[in-house]
Amino acid sequence: MTQTPVIPSEKLFAQVLDPTSRADPYPLYARLRQTPVSLQEDGTYVVSTYREINLLLHDPRISSDERKSAHPARTLDTPGGPNPPAFIFTDPPLHTLLRRQIMQQFTPQRIGGMQEHIEQAVNALLDARKQQHQFDLVQDFAYPLPVTIICRLLGVPTEDEPRFRGWSSALVRTLDPTESLSEAEKQHAVQSHTQLIAYMKQLSETRRAHPQDDLFSALVVGDSPDGRLSEPDLLATMVLLLIAGHETTVNLITNSMLALLRHPEVFERLRRNPDLAIATVEEMLRYDPPVQFRTRTTLADISIAGVSIPKGARVALLLASGSHDPARFVDPDRFWPEREENEHLGFGGSDHYCVGAPLARREGVVAVKALARRLQAPRLVTDPPPYRKNAALRGPEHLQIAFEHLNE
Ligand code: HEM
């Protein structure tokens, strides 16, 4: 008989980061929650309970600025010199100003206006599989969709989309602090970043001369009361919008289908009532969220849950664990779209709450609705599927789904 190894609590986070835990880190989170704030072997303070994560998300003594950290995440410098950090990696007052300028452009009208484009893109991706009885949901559907949509929102011409897809894939890999990239991969990422910045610069000049009805033109023309974004900040923001919304949305769609196919009774309820897609996507953001954790740095000594976190420490906020905390959610390990109360941490919280949440929800709902309606008798080919290495932006690398045929 094999015995389950007992992992000491200060090694649990290393175990979460280990690729062998990727398919199901939730039992490790349950063990971490026994100590709401725990010091790990590598010096990281892991925060795993809902209440404590929420307190720290709202605490001004916690910084998102990697420059204040002794363990900064990888940054990419283009040959022209260092780039300013994207606003996700800044603190007030700079963060407040940059975020406000972006939020002014993420209006309900602009995001609502994307509905038709999302439906068209979703159906076009599915129509391309009409002759097939099996496809890889990740490569053939979930991966291309968010790039198409973000390009449309920003105002990137359709013919340039394939280049964007390549740049985004190369850059997304650099976001994983646990992945060691080869020299060739690092060079490819730097090259992609340089090309993307050069492309955006060119596009900003074109849009300044001939503004169109898109987000990029609105930011370039800059009629906000706060003034216009500087060019380096504008470019850093564009890169952020492209990569922050890519892998995350891919994983939202993929995790949703994985959970639905593992829970045929929920899938059946969704088929009978397509409007359940809204609650299904919301439940996914809690039950198996694309962003599992975010890291921060303490700007002062902080006392929380009986632990003293010193100034300058690295803190990991385990959002996915908080969203499974039984002290906050009824039956937290159950996939249950109809749950009455679902204030999950899937989009973070407080000052850095996800800017793209309304767009991501819309993409997720349209995709899940269409997949449930159009795939006839779908089933998983491999369960569990293979996962990408990234522990923070966690999701399957492939998800093979077999089906009888595609409905119109
Ligand atoms: C399912 C898809 C998505 C998930 C799960 C997600 C999740 C998150 C989370 C957890 C944060 C908080 C980060 C922190 O506290 O450090 C965040 C921030 C952010 N997200 Fe998303 N996101 C998604 C899609 C998008 C999309 C589509 C966009 C853009 C179009 C986007 C843009 C951003 C930006 C710009 C920030 C930084 C906000 C700030 O620092 O003030 N996200 N997202």
Side-chain angles (χ1 to χ4, degrees), residues 53-75:
I53 294 170
N54 206 30
L55 279 173
L56 290 181
L57 281 172
H58 288 83
D59 194 321
R61 295 170 299 171
I62 281 271
S63 167
S64 291
D65 192 335
E66 296 278 337
R67 293 167 300 184
K68 297 173 187 165
S69 163
H71 320 271
R74 224 180 270 135
T75 52

Side-chain angles (χ1 to χ4, degrees), residues 87-88 95 99 150 245 248 291 294 296 346-348 352 354 356 360:
F87 70 92
I88 194 170
H95 174 261
R99 182 179 163 105
I150 198 74
T248 46
V291 180
R294 297 287 304 155
R296 299 282 200 265
F347 287 127
H352 288 272
C354 179

Side-chain angles (χ1 to χ4, degrees), residues 134-156:
Q134 183 171 326
F135 77 155
D136 178 357
L137 182 76
V138 179
Q139 291 308 318
D140 301 336
F141 183 86
Y143 215 75
L145 181 68
V147 183
T148 304
I149 300 307
I150 198 74
C151 285
R152 177 59 81 129
L153 180 74
L154 299 182
V156 171

